[in-house]
Structure formats: structure tokens, C-alpha cells
């Protein structure tokens, strides 16, 4: 079974960037193991700040038994080999 990956994206008044980020993540997700969680900090939603917004997304993701968690800014554009590069990355 393939590992499940949660991508947490925090949107704040940049819906075009967020949509582009999600689209690129989905294209790079060739094995269909990714689920994107978007937290919207844009008005009229209360802006809780970056840390609290990401924590909200992580709390939601942690209830769904993912194997990996990716926190990604909405202005990031990933390449088609993004997940292969991550898979091979070792600390």
C-alpha cells in the first residue's frame, strides 16, 4: 500500500496562487496518494495567523491517519518530479 500524504495549504487573499499550487501538486501526484487540506484565512474568515492556521490544518490531518504531512505555502509551484525527490530525500 502506498503511503498517504496530507498537504496543508494556508490561503490568505491569494486564491489564484492557492489554486495553482493545488493544481501543480495534483499533477505531480502520479500515484494518487495526496490529499490537500486548505485553510482559508481570507476575509470574511477570521485571520488567525500562519501558525494557528497551519495548526488547524494539522489537527484535521492528524485525525485522518496520514503517513506524511507536507506544509506548503500557496505560492509554491512544484515540478512533476516533486514526490520522487521527496521520497529519495534523507536527513
Amino acid at each position: 500500500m502506498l503511503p498517504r500524504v496530507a498537504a496543508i495549504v494556508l490561503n490568505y487573499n491569494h486564491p489564484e496562487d492557492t489554486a495553482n499550487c493545488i493544481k501543480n501538486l495534483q499533477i505531480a501526484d502520479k500515484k494518487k496518494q495526496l490529499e490537500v487540506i486548505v485553510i482559508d484565512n481570507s476575509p470574511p474568515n477570521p485571520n488567525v495567523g500562519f501558525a494557528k492556521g497551519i495548526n488547524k490544518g494539522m489537527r484535521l490531518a492528524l485525525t485522518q491517519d496520514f503517513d506524511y504531512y507536507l506544509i506548503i505555502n500557496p505560492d509554491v509551484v512544484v515540478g512533476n518530479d516533486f514526490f520522487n525527490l521527496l521520497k529519495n530525500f534523507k536527513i
Side-chain angles (χ1 to χ4, degrees):
M1 180 172 239
L2 293 172
R4 294 180 62 225
V5 180
I8 294 101
V9 182
L10 184 65
N11 178 56
Y12 181 72
N13 286 337
H14 295 283
E16 298 86 12
D17 286 347
T18 302
N20 193 41
C21 178
I22 293 168
K23 180 184 85 173
N24 283 287
L25 284 168
Q26 290 171 334
I27 290 169
D29 181 28
K30 294 172 181 55
K31 295 183 180 178
K32 305 302 178 209
Q33 48 193 128
L34 177 73
E35 183 171 326
V36 179
I37 298 170
V38 177
I39 303 299
D40 192 5
N41 256 354
S42 301
N45 298 320
N47 178 359
V48 297
F50 180 81
K52 285 185 180 180
I54 292 298
N55 285 342
K56 182 177 179 181
M58 281 298 297
R59 278 193 298 277
L60 177 61
L62 287 168
T63 67
Q64 299 180 37
D65 198 33
F66 288 98
D67 299 297
Y68 297 99
Y69 303 89
L70 172 67
I71 296 170
I72 188 164
N73 284 344
D75 60 345
V76 173
V77 176
V78 301
N80 289 340
D81 60 345
F82 178 71
F83 289 102
N84 282 333
L85 292 172
L86 280 182
K87 180 181 74 174
N88 295 324
F89 182 76
K90 294 182 173 69
I91 296 177

